[in-house]
Amino acid sequence: MSTTASLPSEGPSVGPATGPTAGPTAVPKNVRWVLLGVMLAMLLSMLDNMVVSTAMPTIVGDLGGLEHISWVVTSYTLVTAVTTPIWGKFGDLFGRKPMYLASIGVFILGSALCGTSGSMGELIAFRVVQGIGAGGIGAGAFALIGALVPPRERGKYQGMTASVMAIGTIGGPLLGGFVTGHFDWRWAFYINLPIGLLALVWLWRKLRIPATRIRAKIDWAGIALLTLSITAIVLAATWAGSTYAWGSWQILSLGAAAMVGLVLFIQVEKRVSEPLLPLSVFTGHRNYPLAMVLILAAGVVMFGAGLYLPLFQQTVQGASATNSGLLMLPMMIPVVIVSTIAGKVMSATGKYKMFPVVGTLFLTAGLGLLATMDAHTSSLLTSLSMVLVGIGLGFTLQMAGTIAQNSVSLRDMGAAMSSVNLFRTLGGSLGVAVFGSLFTRAVQPTLPAGGDTGPGTLRNLPAGAKDAYLTAVTDGTSHIFLTAAIVCALAFLASLFVIEVPLKKAGPPAPAATPEESAASPAN
Protein backbone atom coordinates (compact mmCIF):
# COMPACT_ATOMS: atom_id res chain seq x y z
CA MET A 1 0.00 0.00 0.00
CA SER A 2 1.14 3.55 -0.57
CA THR A 3 2.65 5.62 2.19
CA THR A 4 1.39 8.98 3.38
CA ALA A 5 4.64 10.90 2.90
CA SER A 6 4.71 13.84 0.55
CA LEU A 7 6.98 13.95 -2.43
CA PRO A 8 9.76 16.42 -1.65
CA SER A 9 10.87 16.48 -5.25
CA GLU A 10 7.56 17.63 -6.72
CA GLY A 11 8.51 21.18 -7.53
CA PRO A 12 8.10 23.46 -10.52
CA SER A 13 9.64 22.72 -13.86
CA VAL A 14 13.15 23.83 -14.59
CA GLY A 15 14.04 25.69 -17.75
CA PRO A 16 14.89 24.12 -21.06
CA ALA A 17 18.57 23.78 -20.37
CA THR A 18 18.19 21.33 -17.53
CA GLY A 19 14.73 19.81 -17.94
CA PRO A 20 12.19 19.20 -15.21
CA THR A 21 13.16 18.09 -11.76
CA ALA A 22 13.14 14.49 -10.74
CA GLY A 23 13.21 12.48 -7.59
CA PRO A 24 16.50 11.20 -6.21
CA THR A 25 16.17 7.45 -6.54
CA ALA A 26 16.19 4.89 -9.30
CA VAL A 27 13.57 2.52 -10.65
CA PRO A 28 12.12 0.07 -8.07
CA LYS A 29 13.46 -3.47 -8.38
CA ASN A 30 10.07 -5.07 -9.01
CA VAL A 31 8.87 -2.45 -11.48
CA ARG A 32 8.12 -4.98 -14.24
CA TRP A 33 5.72 -6.81 -11.96
CA VAL A 34 4.04 -3.55 -10.97
CA LEU A 35 3.79 -2.42 -14.59
CA LEU A 36 2.22 -5.76 -15.48
CA GLY A 37 -0.79 -4.81 -13.35
CA VAL A 38 -0.95 -1.34 -14.91
CA MET A 39 -0.79 -2.86 -18.40
CA LEU A 40 -3.50 -5.38 -17.52
CA ALA A 41 -5.86 -2.54 -16.63
CA MET A 42 -4.94 -0.70 -19.85
CA LEU A 43 -5.62 -3.86 -21.84
CA LEU A 44 -9.00 -4.14 -20.12
CA SER A 45 -10.16 -0.74 -21.38
CA MET A 46 -8.64 -1.18 -24.85
CA LEU A 47 -10.19 -4.60 -25.41
CA ASP A 48 -13.63 -3.49 -24.29
CA ASN A 49 -14.42 -1.17 -27.17
CA MET A 50 -13.19 -3.67 -29.77
CA VAL A 51 -15.12 -6.57 -28.22
CA VAL A 52 -18.32 -4.54 -27.87
CA SER A 53 -18.10 -3.27 -31.47
CA THR A 54 -17.93 -6.84 -32.72
CA ALA A 55 -20.88 -7.86 -30.53
CA MET A 56 -23.12 -4.92 -31.47
CA PRO A 57 -25.14 -6.68 -34.22
CA THR A 58 -26.07 -9.43 -31.75
CA ILE A 59 -26.87 -6.88 -29.02
CA VAL A 60 -29.18 -4.92 -31.32
CA GLY A 61 -30.88 -8.13 -32.40
CA ASP A 62 -31.69 -8.88 -28.77
CA LEU A 63 -32.40 -5.44 -27.31
CA GLY A 64 -33.62 -3.57 -30.39
CA GLY A 65 -33.09 0.18 -30.59
CA LEU A 66 -31.13 0.25 -33.85
CA GLU A 67 -31.67 4.02 -34.10
CA HIS A 68 -29.69 4.48 -30.87
CA ILE A 69 -26.80 2.15 -31.69
CA SER A 70 -24.27 4.94 -32.25
CA TRP A 71 -24.80 6.17 -28.70
CA VAL A 72 -23.51 2.89 -27.28
CA VAL A 73 -20.09 3.98 -28.58
CA THR A 74 -20.54 7.75 -28.37
CA SER A 75 -21.63 7.75 -24.71
CA TYR A 76 -18.56 5.70 -23.78
CA THR A 77 -15.99 7.75 -25.72
CA LEU A 78 -17.54 11.07 -24.74
CA VAL A 79 -17.47 10.36 -21.00
CA THR A 80 -13.99 8.85 -21.30
CA ALA A 81 -12.67 12.04 -22.91
CA VAL A 82 -14.47 14.30 -20.42
CA THR A 83 -13.30 12.47 -17.29
CA THR A 84 -9.69 11.80 -18.37
CA PRO A 85 -8.24 15.16 -17.22
CA ILE A 86 -10.39 15.09 -14.07
CA TRP A 87 -9.04 11.71 -12.99
CA GLY A 88 -5.51 12.89 -13.81
CA LYS A 89 -5.80 15.97 -11.63
CA PHE A 90 -7.43 14.06 -8.79
CA GLY A 91 -4.50 11.66 -8.96
CA ASP A 92 -2.13 14.60 -8.48
CA LEU A 93 -4.20 15.88 -5.55
CA PHE A 94 -5.18 12.73 -3.68
CA GLY A 95 -2.71 10.06 -4.76
CA ARG A 96 -2.33 8.12 -8.00
CA LYS A 97 -2.71 4.65 -6.53
CA PRO A 98 -6.13 5.18 -4.86
CA MET A 99 -7.46 7.01 -7.91
CA TYR A 100 -6.27 4.27 -10.28
CA LEU A 101 -7.77 1.53 -8.14
CA ALA A 102 -11.02 3.51 -7.92
CA SER A 103 -11.16 3.87 -11.72
CA ILE A 104 -10.71 0.11 -12.18
CA GLY A 105 -13.47 -0.48 -9.65
CA VAL A 106 -15.84 1.88 -11.49
CA PHE A 107 -15.04 0.15 -14.79
CA ILE A 108 -15.78 -3.27 -13.29
CA LEU A 109 -19.08 -1.97 -11.88
CA GLY A 110 -20.03 -0.50 -15.27
CA SER A 111 -19.19 -3.78 -17.02
CA ALA A 112 -21.35 -5.78 -14.61
CA LEU A 113 -24.25 -3.37 -15.09
CA CYS A 114 -23.91 -3.47 -18.90
CA GLY A 115 -24.24 -7.25 -18.79
CA THR A 116 -27.58 -6.93 -17.00
CA SER A 117 -29.06 -4.43 -19.50
CA GLY A 118 -32.64 -5.10 -20.50
CA SER A 119 -32.97 -2.30 -23.04
CA MET A 120 -30.81 -0.14 -25.28
CA GLY A 121 -31.44 2.85 -22.97
CA GLU A 122 -30.09 0.94 -19.97
CA LEU A 123 -27.05 -0.22 -21.95
CA ILE A 124 -26.23 3.36 -22.97
CA ALA A 125 -26.59 4.57 -19.37
CA PHE A 126 -24.36 1.79 -18.04
CA ARG A 127 -21.79 2.48 -20.78
CA VAL A 128 -21.51 5.96 -19.26
CA VAL A 129 -20.43 4.33 -15.98
CA GLN A 130 -17.91 2.24 -17.89
CA GLY A 131 -16.61 5.34 -19.66
CA ILE A 132 -16.02 7.11 -16.34
CA GLY A 133 -13.81 4.22 -15.25
CA ALA A 134 -12.04 4.07 -18.61
CA GLY A 135 -11.13 7.75 -18.32
CA GLY A 136 -9.36 7.05 -15.04
CA ILE A 137 -7.59 3.98 -16.38
CA GLY A 138 -6.25 5.90 -19.35
CA ALA A 139 -5.19 8.92 -17.30
CA GLY A 140 -3.72 6.93 -14.42
CA ALA A 141 -1.75 4.41 -16.44
CA PHE A 142 0.59 6.93 -18.06
CA ALA A 143 0.89 8.95 -14.86
CA LEU A 144 1.87 5.80 -12.93
CA ILE A 145 4.42 4.87 -15.58
CA GLY A 146 5.80 8.41 -15.27
CA ALA A 147 5.94 8.10 -11.46
CA LEU A 148 7.55 4.65 -11.48
CA VAL A 149 9.98 4.97 -14.37
CA PRO A 150 12.05 8.07 -15.25
CA PRO A 151 12.22 8.95 -18.95
CA ARG A 152 15.82 7.76 -19.35
CA GLU A 153 14.80 4.27 -18.20
CA ARG A 154 11.34 4.20 -19.72
CA GLY A 155 12.53 2.89 -23.07
CA LYS A 156 13.35 -0.47 -21.46
CA TYR A 157 9.66 -0.96 -20.75
CA GLN A 158 8.25 0.65 -23.89
CA GLY A 159 7.68 -2.71 -25.56
CA MET A 160 5.20 -3.64 -22.82
CA THR A 161 2.98 -0.66 -23.67
CA ALA A 162 3.25 -1.31 -27.41
CA SER A 163 2.36 -4.98 -26.87
CA VAL A 164 -0.77 -4.03 -24.93
CA MET A 165 -1.85 -1.74 -27.77
CA ALA A 166 -1.25 -4.46 -30.34
CA ILE A 167 -3.08 -7.12 -28.31
CA GLY A 168 -6.01 -4.77 -27.76
CA THR A 169 -6.28 -3.83 -31.44
CA ILE A 170 -5.87 -7.36 -32.81
CA GLY A 171 -7.31 -9.44 -30.00
CA GLY A 172 -10.43 -7.35 -29.42
CA PRO A 173 -12.27 -8.26 -32.65
CA LEU A 174 -11.14 -11.90 -32.39
CA LEU A 175 -12.29 -12.15 -28.77
CA GLY A 176 -15.54 -10.37 -29.57
CA GLY A 177 -16.28 -12.77 -32.41
CA PHE A 178 -15.49 -15.78 -30.23
CA VAL A 179 -17.60 -14.61 -27.28
CA THR A 180 -20.66 -13.70 -29.34
CA GLY A 181 -20.33 -16.87 -31.42
CA HIS A 182 -20.07 -19.29 -28.51
CA PHE A 183 -21.67 -17.48 -25.56
CA ASP A 184 -24.39 -14.92 -24.85
CA TRP A 185 -23.54 -11.33 -25.88
CA ARG A 186 -23.61 -10.33 -22.21
CA TRP A 187 -20.26 -12.09 -21.80
CA ALA A 188 -18.75 -9.34 -23.95
CA PHE A 189 -19.09 -7.31 -20.71
CA TYR A 190 -18.85 -10.04 -18.07
CA ILE A 191 -15.43 -11.06 -19.40
CA ASN A 192 -14.12 -7.78 -17.96
CA LEU A 193 -14.91 -8.87 -14.40
CA PRO A 194 -12.19 -11.50 -13.82
CA ILE A 195 -9.59 -9.47 -15.71
CA GLY A 196 -10.49 -6.31 -13.81
CA LEU A 197 -10.51 -8.02 -10.42
CA LEU A 198 -7.11 -9.57 -11.15
CA ALA A 199 -5.68 -6.14 -12.04
CA LEU A 200 -7.28 -4.59 -8.95
CA VAL A 201 -5.87 -7.17 -6.51
CA TRP A 202 -2.49 -7.22 -8.27
CA LEU A 203 -2.03 -3.46 -8.01
CA TRP A 204 -3.40 -3.32 -4.48
CA ARG A 205 -0.61 -5.65 -3.39
CA LYS A 206 2.25 -4.69 -5.71
CA LEU A 207 1.91 -0.96 -6.40
CA ARG A 208 3.84 1.08 -3.83
CA ILE A 209 4.46 4.73 -4.64
CA PRO A 210 4.64 7.73 -2.32
CA ALA A 211 1.18 9.26 -2.05
CA THR A 212 0.58 12.96 -2.51
CA ARG A 213 -1.76 14.62 -0.06
CA ILE A 214 -2.43 18.22 -1.04
CA ARG A 215 -4.94 20.50 0.63
CA ALA A 216 -6.44 22.56 -2.15
CA LYS A 217 -9.81 23.61 -3.49
CA ILE A 218 -11.05 21.51 -6.36
CA ASP A 219 -11.34 23.50 -9.59
CA TRP A 220 -15.06 22.92 -10.14
CA ALA A 221 -15.37 25.81 -12.61
CA GLY A 222 -12.53 24.38 -14.69
CA ILE A 223 -14.11 20.93 -14.60
CA ALA A 224 -17.47 22.32 -15.79
CA LEU A 225 -15.96 24.42 -18.61
CA LEU A 226 -13.65 21.68 -19.87
CA THR A 227 -16.54 19.21 -19.75
CA LEU A 228 -18.63 21.61 -21.83
CA SER A 229 -15.85 22.12 -24.39
CA ILE A 230 -14.92 18.46 -24.78
CA THR A 231 -18.58 17.42 -24.97
CA ALA A 232 -19.21 19.95 -27.74
CA ILE A 233 -16.09 18.85 -29.66
CA VAL A 234 -16.85 15.13 -29.44
CA LEU A 235 -20.53 15.57 -30.31
CA ALA A 236 -19.64 17.75 -33.29
CA ALA A 237 -17.07 15.18 -34.41
CA THR A 238 -19.63 12.39 -34.03
CA TRP A 239 -22.60 14.09 -35.72
CA ALA A 240 -20.94 16.22 -38.43
CA GLY A 241 -21.35 14.78 -41.90
CA SER A 242 -23.68 11.99 -40.73
CA THR A 243 -26.53 13.12 -38.49
CA TYR A 244 -26.15 16.81 -39.44
CA ALA A 245 -24.37 18.61 -42.27
CA TRP A 246 -21.04 20.24 -41.47
CA GLY A 247 -22.53 23.70 -42.05
CA SER A 248 -25.76 23.09 -40.13
CA TRP A 249 -26.73 25.30 -37.21
CA GLN A 250 -26.38 22.34 -34.85
CA ILE A 251 -22.71 21.73 -35.73
CA LEU A 252 -21.90 25.44 -35.87
CA SER A 253 -23.51 25.92 -32.45
CA LEU A 254 -21.46 23.08 -31.00
CA GLY A 255 -18.31 24.58 -32.48
CA ALA A 256 -19.14 27.98 -31.01
CA ALA A 257 -19.86 26.41 -27.60
CA ALA A 258 -16.51 24.61 -27.70
CA MET A 259 -14.61 27.82 -28.54
CA VAL A 260 -16.35 29.89 -25.86
CA GLY A 261 -15.88 27.13 -23.31
CA LEU A 262 -12.14 26.85 -24.07
CA VAL A 263 -11.62 30.63 -23.83
CA LEU A 264 -13.40 30.77 -20.47
CA PHE A 265 -11.54 27.64 -19.30
CA ILE A 266 -8.17 29.27 -20.02
CA GLN A 267 -9.20 32.39 -18.10
CA VAL A 268 -10.29 30.32 -15.10
CA GLU A 269 -7.12 28.22 -15.10
CA LYS A 270 -5.02 31.39 -14.95
CA ARG A 271 -6.71 32.48 -11.72
CA VAL A 272 -7.33 29.37 -9.57
CA SER A 273 -4.70 28.16 -7.11
CA GLU A 274 -4.94 24.49 -8.11
CA PRO A 275 -5.99 24.39 -11.79
CA LEU A 276 -7.47 21.26 -13.32
CA LEU A 277 -5.02 21.44 -16.21
CA PRO A 278 -2.08 23.70 -15.33
CA LEU A 279 -1.34 25.95 -18.29
CA SER A 280 2.30 25.80 -17.28
CA VAL A 281 2.57 22.31 -18.78
CA PHE A 282 1.83 23.88 -22.18
CA THR A 283 3.83 27.08 -21.71
CA GLY A 284 6.71 25.87 -19.52
CA HIS A 285 8.53 24.03 -22.29
CA ARG A 286 7.82 23.98 -25.99
CA ASN A 287 8.38 20.23 -26.21
CA TYR A 288 5.08 19.54 -24.46
CA PRO A 289 2.72 21.17 -27.01
CA LEU A 290 4.84 19.69 -29.80
CA ALA A 291 4.38 16.25 -28.22
CA MET A 292 0.62 16.87 -28.16
CA VAL A 293 0.71 17.51 -31.93
CA LEU A 294 2.48 14.16 -32.41
CA ILE A 295 -0.03 12.41 -30.13
CA LEU A 296 -2.95 13.96 -31.99
CA ALA A 297 -1.58 12.81 -35.36
CA ALA A 298 -0.94 9.31 -34.03
CA GLY A 299 -4.51 9.14 -32.72
CA VAL A 300 -5.85 10.14 -36.13
CA VAL A 301 -3.80 7.39 -37.81
CA MET A 302 -4.60 4.63 -35.31
CA PHE A 303 -8.35 5.20 -35.28
CA GLY A 304 -8.59 5.89 -39.00
CA ALA A 305 -6.42 2.99 -40.09
CA GLY A 306 -8.06 0.63 -37.60
CA LEU A 307 -11.51 1.42 -38.98
CA TYR A 308 -11.04 1.86 -42.73
CA LEU A 309 -8.19 -0.50 -43.59
CA PRO A 310 -10.20 -3.63 -42.67
CA LEU A 311 -13.20 -2.14 -44.48
CA PHE A 312 -11.19 -1.73 -47.69
CA GLN A 313 -9.63 -5.18 -47.37
CA GLN A 314 -12.99 -6.86 -46.79
CA THR A 315 -14.94 -4.93 -49.41
CA VAL A 316 -12.44 -4.50 -52.25
CA GLN A 317 -9.86 -7.21 -51.64
CA GLY A 318 -12.32 -9.87 -50.46
CA ALA A 319 -10.77 -10.56 -47.04
CA SER A 320 -12.84 -12.46 -44.48
CA ALA A 321 -14.66 -10.34 -41.91
CA THR A 322 -14.25 -13.09 -39.29
CA ASN A 323 -10.49 -12.51 -39.34
CA SER A 324 -10.72 -8.71 -39.08
CA GLY A 325 -8.28 -8.66 -36.17
CA LEU A 326 -5.66 -10.55 -38.16
CA LEU A 327 -5.89 -8.01 -40.99
CA MET A 328 -4.10 -5.49 -38.76
CA LEU A 329 -1.09 -7.73 -38.04
CA PRO A 330 1.17 -6.19 -40.74
CA MET A 331 0.74 -2.83 -39.01
CA MET A 332 0.71 -3.83 -35.34
CA ILE A 333 3.65 -6.25 -35.29
CA PRO A 334 6.09 -3.52 -36.43
CA VAL A 335 4.66 -1.22 -33.75
CA VAL A 336 5.74 -3.67 -31.02
CA ILE A 337 9.15 -4.46 -32.54
CA VAL A 338 10.09 -0.88 -33.40
CA SER A 339 8.86 0.53 -30.07
CA THR A 340 10.99 -1.98 -28.20
CA ILE A 341 14.12 -1.28 -30.25
CA ALA A 342 13.68 2.49 -30.12
CA GLY A 343 13.11 2.33 -26.38
CA LYS A 344 16.31 0.39 -25.77
CA VAL A 345 18.32 2.79 -27.94
CA MET A 346 16.83 5.77 -26.13
CA SER A 347 17.67 4.28 -22.72
CA ALA A 348 21.22 3.53 -23.80
CA THR A 349 21.96 6.87 -25.46
CA GLY A 350 19.52 9.35 -23.93
CA LYS A 351 18.70 10.55 -27.46
CA TYR A 352 15.14 10.64 -28.72
CA LYS A 353 14.50 13.51 -31.16
CA MET A 354 15.40 11.41 -34.20
CA PHE A 355 12.64 8.89 -33.50
CA PRO A 356 9.55 11.10 -33.99
CA VAL A 357 11.26 12.76 -36.99
CA VAL A 358 11.87 9.38 -38.66
CA GLY A 359 8.53 8.05 -37.44
CA THR A 360 6.43 10.82 -38.96
CA LEU A 361 8.33 10.38 -42.24
CA PHE A 362 7.43 6.67 -42.28
CA LEU A 363 3.83 7.51 -41.42
CA THR A 364 3.59 10.04 -44.24
CA ALA A 365 5.15 7.61 -46.74
CA GLY A 366 3.03 4.63 -45.68
CA LEU A 367 -0.22 6.60 -45.69
CA GLY A 368 0.71 8.14 -49.05
CA LEU A 369 1.10 4.65 -50.51
CA LEU A 370 -2.22 3.55 -49.00
CA ALA A 371 -3.83 6.57 -50.67
CA THR A 372 -2.83 5.12 -54.06
CA MET A 373 -4.70 1.83 -53.54
CA ASP A 374 -7.32 0.80 -56.09
CA ALA A 375 -9.35 -2.29 -56.93
CA HIS A 376 -6.27 -3.92 -58.50
CA THR A 377 -3.90 -3.36 -55.56
CA SER A 378 -2.66 -6.67 -54.21
CA SER A 379 -2.95 -7.68 -50.58
CA LEU A 380 0.85 -7.96 -50.46
CA LEU A 381 1.35 -4.34 -51.49
CA THR A 382 -1.28 -3.22 -48.99
CA SER A 383 0.49 -5.16 -46.25
CA LEU A 384 3.86 -3.61 -47.14
CA SER A 385 2.33 -0.13 -46.89
CA MET A 386 0.85 -1.08 -43.52
CA VAL A 387 4.31 -2.15 -42.35
CA LEU A 388 5.58 1.38 -43.07
CA VAL A 389 2.70 2.83 -41.06
CA GLY A 390 3.43 0.42 -38.20
CA ILE A 391 7.11 1.42 -38.17
CA GLY A 392 6.06 5.06 -38.07
CA LEU A 393 3.69 4.51 -35.16
CA GLY A 394 6.36 2.53 -33.32
CA PHE A 395 8.81 5.40 -33.60
CA THR A 396 6.27 8.13 -32.85
CA LEU A 397 3.50 7.11 -30.45
CA GLN A 398 5.36 6.00 -27.32
CA MET A 399 8.24 8.41 -27.89
CA ALA A 400 5.83 11.36 -27.96
CA GLY A 401 4.57 10.29 -24.54
CA THR A 402 8.14 10.16 -23.25
CA ILE A 403 8.84 13.66 -24.59
CA ALA A 404 5.72 14.93 -22.83
CA GLN A 405 6.69 13.19 -19.59
CA ASN A 406 10.19 14.67 -19.69
CA SER A 407 8.79 18.18 -20.18
CA VAL A 408 6.87 18.53 -16.90
CA SER A 409 7.57 18.29 -13.19
CA LEU A 410 6.54 15.25 -11.21
CA ARG A 411 4.08 17.49 -9.36
CA ASP A 412 1.96 17.90 -12.53
CA MET A 413 2.56 14.43 -13.97
CA GLY A 414 -1.04 13.23 -13.60
CA ALA A 415 -2.58 16.25 -15.30
CA ALA A 416 0.08 16.28 -18.01
CA MET A 417 -0.12 12.59 -18.86
CA SER A 418 -3.92 12.64 -18.79
CA SER A 419 -3.64 15.29 -21.51
CA VAL A 420 -1.67 12.77 -23.58
CA ASN A 421 -4.57 10.34 -23.37
CA LEU A 422 -7.07 13.17 -23.98
CA PHE A 423 -5.32 14.35 -27.15
CA ARG A 424 -5.07 10.78 -28.43
CA THR A 425 -8.83 10.32 -27.88
CA LEU A 426 -9.70 13.65 -29.45
CA GLY A 427 -7.41 12.94 -32.39
CA GLY A 428 -9.19 9.67 -32.98
CA SER A 429 -12.66 11.19 -32.60
CA LEU A 430 -11.95 14.09 -34.95
CA GLY A 431 -10.17 11.82 -37.42
CA VAL A 432 -13.01 9.31 -37.56
CA ALA A 433 -15.55 12.12 -38.01
CA VAL A 434 -13.69 13.69 -40.92
CA PHE A 435 -12.88 10.31 -42.47
CA GLY A 436 -16.50 9.21 -42.12
CA SER A 437 -17.66 12.30 -43.93
CA LEU A 438 -15.16 11.76 -46.76
CA PHE A 439 -16.10 8.10 -47.11
CA THR A 440 -19.86 8.67 -46.99
CA ARG A 441 -19.63 11.45 -49.56
CA ALA A 442 -17.81 9.12 -51.96
CA VAL A 443 -19.93 6.00 -51.42
CA GLN A 444 -23.46 7.27 -50.82
CA PRO A 445 -24.24 8.24 -54.47
CA THR A 446 -23.60 4.64 -55.60
CA LEU A 447 -26.12 3.13 -53.13
CA PRO A 448 -29.89 2.93 -53.15
CA ALA A 449 -31.63 5.45 -50.91
CA GLY A 450 -30.89 4.59 -47.29
CA GLY A 451 -28.43 1.91 -48.35
CA ASP A 452 -25.86 0.42 -46.01
CA THR A 453 -22.19 1.34 -46.45
CA GLY A 454 -20.72 -1.75 -44.83
CA PRO A 455 -18.79 -4.55 -46.55
CA GLY A 456 -21.94 -6.64 -46.91
CA THR A 457 -23.46 -4.03 -49.21
CA LEU A 458 -21.62 -5.48 -52.22
CA ARG A 459 -23.54 -8.73 -52.04
CA ASN A 460 -26.88 -6.91 -52.23
CA LEU A 461 -26.11 -4.75 -55.27
CA PRO A 462 -26.99 -5.66 -58.86
CA ALA A 463 -24.04 -6.89 -60.90
CA GLY A 464 -23.87 -3.66 -62.92
CA ALA A 465 -23.59 -1.50 -59.78
CA LYS A 466 -20.79 -3.46 -58.11
CA ASP A 467 -17.99 -1.85 -60.10
CA ALA A 468 -19.30 1.63 -59.32
CA TYR A 469 -19.53 0.76 -55.63
CA LEU A 470 -15.99 -0.66 -55.53
CA THR A 471 -14.69 2.46 -57.26
CA ALA A 472 -16.50 4.65 -54.74
CA VAL A 473 -15.08 2.69 -51.80
CA THR A 474 -11.60 2.99 -53.31
CA ASP A 475 -11.99 6.74 -53.86
CA GLY A 476 -13.31 7.30 -50.34
CA THR A 477 -10.47 5.27 -48.83
CA SER A 478 -7.88 7.14 -50.91
CA HIS A 479 -9.22 10.49 -49.69
CA ILE A 480 -9.04 9.25 -46.11
CA PHE A 481 -5.41 8.17 -46.28
CA LEU A 482 -4.36 11.23 -48.27
CA THR A 483 -5.84 13.41 -45.52
CA ALA A 484 -4.05 11.34 -42.86
CA ALA A 485 -0.77 11.67 -44.79
CA ILE A 486 -1.14 15.46 -44.79
CA VAL A 487 -1.77 15.44 -41.02
CA CYS A 488 1.39 13.34 -40.51
CA ALA A 489 3.40 15.67 -42.77
CA LEU A 490 2.40 18.53 -40.47
CA ALA A 491 3.42 16.40 -37.49
CA PHE A 492 6.81 15.87 -39.18
CA LEU A 493 7.29 19.65 -39.29
CA ALA A 494 6.39 19.85 -35.59
CA SER A 495 8.92 17.10 -34.73
CA LEU A 496 11.73 19.17 -36.26
CA PHE A 497 11.23 21.80 -33.54
CA VAL A 498 11.57 19.34 -30.63
CA ILE A 499 14.52 20.22 -28.38
CA GLU A 500 16.72 17.35 -27.19
CA VAL A 501 16.45 17.91 -23.42
CA PRO A 502 18.52 15.41 -21.39
CA LEU A 503 16.26 12.66 -20.09
CA LYS A 504 15.82 12.38 -16.36
CA LYS A 505 17.79 9.47 -14.94
CA ALA A 506 15.97 9.25 -11.61
CA GLY A 507 12.41 8.78 -10.60
CA PRO A 508 10.37 9.48 -7.48
CA PRO A 509 11.63 8.32 -4.10
CA ALA A 510 10.80 4.67 -3.62
CA PRO A 511 9.20 3.65 -0.30
CA ALA A 512 11.06 1.11 1.73
CA ALA A 513 9.76 -2.40 1.21
CA THR A 514 8.59 -4.47 4.15
CA PRO A 515 10.61 -7.60 4.97
CA GLU A 516 7.80 -9.77 3.60
CA GLU A 517 7.71 -7.82 0.30
CA SER A 518 11.49 -7.92 0.00
CA ALA A 519 11.44 -11.68 0.29
CA ALA A 520 8.48 -12.16 -2.05
CA SER A 521 9.27 -9.63 -4.80
CA PRO A 522 10.96 -11.16 -7.85
CA ALA A 523 13.94 -9.44 -9.37
CA ASN A 524 13.32 -6.99 -12.18
Side-chain angles (χ1 to χ4, degrees), residues 496-524:
L496 296 177
F497 291 93
V498 171
I499 300 174
E500 192 104 59
V501 178
L503 292 170
K504 294 177 286 185
K505 295 184 178 181
T514 63
E516 295 81 2
E517 290 174 326
S518 300
S521 296
N524 184 27

Side-chain angles (χ1 to χ4, degrees), residues 37-93:
V38 177
M39 297 296 141
L40 192 61
M42 283 181 63
L43 178 62
L44 181 70
S45 63
M46 288 192 67
L47 276 175
D48 181 76
N49 242 351
M50 297 289 187
V51 172
V52 172
S53 296
T54 307
M56 277 312 300
T58 306
I59 295 174
V60 172
D62 187 16
L63 298 181
L66 180 61
E67 67 276 14
H68 303 303
I69 187 173
S70 63
W71 279 100
V72 176
V73 177
T74 300
S75 61
Y76 180 89
T77 57
L78 173 59
V79 175
T80 299
V82 166
T83 58
T84 290
I86 299 173
W87 280 106
K89 188 59 184 181
F90 280 16
D92 286 340
L93 290 175

Side-chain angles (χ1 to χ4, degrees), residues 10-13 84-93 96 214 216-219 222-223 226 262 265-285 288-289 292 404 407-420 422-423:
E10 292 191 346
S13 298
T84 290
I86 299 173
W87 280 106
K89 188 59 184 181
F90 280 16
D92 286 340
L93 290 175
R96 297 184 182 106
I214 300 174
K217 293 182 178 179
I218 297 175
D219 180 18
I223 290 174
L226 189 62
L262 286 175
F265 174 74
I266 291 173
Q267 296 304 314
V268 168
E269 298 305 276
K270 288 179 179 179
R271 293 182 174 87
V272 296
S273 59
E274 194 61 48
L276 173 67
L277 185 58
L279 299 181
S280 60
V281 302
F282 290 94
T283 60
H285 198 291
Y288 188 84
M292 293 303 101
S407 304
V408 300
S409 66
L410 188 61
R411 169 69 175 78
D412 293 324
M413 187 65 70
M417 297 312 289
S418 69
S419 296
V420 171
L422 173 61
F423 272 77

Side-chain angles (χ1 to χ4, degrees), residues 91-403:
D92 286 340
L93 290 175
F94 308 120
R96 297 184 182 106
K97 176 177 178 177
M99 290 296 101
Y100 199 59
L101 295 180
S103 67
I104 297 173
V106 172
F107 189 88
I108 293 173
L109 173 62
S111 299
L113 291 173
C114 285
T116 65
S117 300
S119 67
M120 189 62 75
E122 288 184 1
L123 179 60
I124 292 170
F126 295 149
R127 286 283 281 172
V128 169
V129 179
Q130 258 195 317
I132 294 173
I137 291 174
F142 291 100
L144 284 172
I145 293 171
L148 289 166
V149 184
R152 182 61 185 264
E153 299 295 320
R154 188 177 177 189
K156 297 178 181 178
Y157 312 96
Q158 204 154 270
M160 296 178 68
T161 307
S163 298
V164 167
M165 293 171 56
I167 293 171
T169 303
I170 298 168
L174 295 177
L175 182 60
F178 177 80
V179 168
T180 54
H182 295 80
F183 302 96
D184 187 86
W185 64 263
R186 299 178 189 277
W187 280 96
F189 298 102
Y190 290 149
I191 198 171
N192 293 333
L193 304 187
I195 301 175
L197 288 172
L198 176 61
L200 196 64
V201 173
W202 186 282
L203 289 170
W204 178 267
R205 295 181 59 85
K206 293 291 185 181
L207 179 58
R208 300 184 69 250
I209 58 173
T212 307
R213 293 292 184 268
I214 300 174
R215 292 190 178 185
K217 293 182 178 179
I218 297 175
D219 180 18
W220 294 113
I223 290 174
L225 289 169
L226 189 62
T227 299
L228 167 66
S229 301
I230 294 175
T231 300
I233 291 171
V234 174
L235 288 179
T238 302
W239 287 338
S242 55
T243 305
Y244 304 108
W246 280 92
S248 65
W249 69 266
Q250 291 92 342
I251 300 303
L252 293 177
S253 297
L254 287 171
M259 291 299 297
V260 172
L262 286 175
V263 170
L264 293 176
F265 174 74
I266 291 173
Q267 296 304 314
V268 168
E269 298 305 276
K270 288 179 179 179
R271 293 182 174 87
V272 296
S273 59
E274 194 61 48
L276 173 67
L277 185 58
L279 299 181
S280 60
V281 302
F282 290 94
T283 60
H285 198 291
R286 79 183 192 188
N287 276 4
Y288 188 84
L290 291 173
M292 293 303 101
V293 173
L294 298 174
I295 289 290
L296 191 72
V300 169
V301 173
M302 285 201 67
F303 280 77
L307 182 60
Y308 288 99
L309 265 174
L311 179 63
F312 177 86
Q313 290 171 306
Q314 293 170 32
T315 304
V316 180
Q317 296 180 331
S320 171
T322 57
N323 296 322
S324 58
L326 299 178
L327 296 177
M328 299 302 292
L329 282 175
M331 188 176 83
M332 298 312 300
I333 289 178
V335 172
V336 178
I337 296 174
V338 171
S339 292
T340 304
I341 295 174
K344 290 183 181 298
V345 172
M346 182 190 70
S347 294
T349 65
K351 305 294 183 181
Y352 54 85
K353 177 177 178 176
M354 61 179 174
F355 295 119
V357 172
V358 174
T360 49
L361 278 176
F362 269 97
L363 283 173
T364 304
L367 292 165
L369 288 175
L370 289 174
T372 66
M373 293 187 302
D374 57 30
H376 304 291
T377 302
S378 66
S379 298
L380 176 61
L381 183 58
T382 301
S383 296
L384 291 176
S385 302
M386 293 172 67
V387 169
L388 296 181
V389 175
I391 293 173
L393 284 173
F395 278 134
T396 304
L397 188 57
Q398 301 301 321
M399 207 60 65
T402 300
I403 293 171

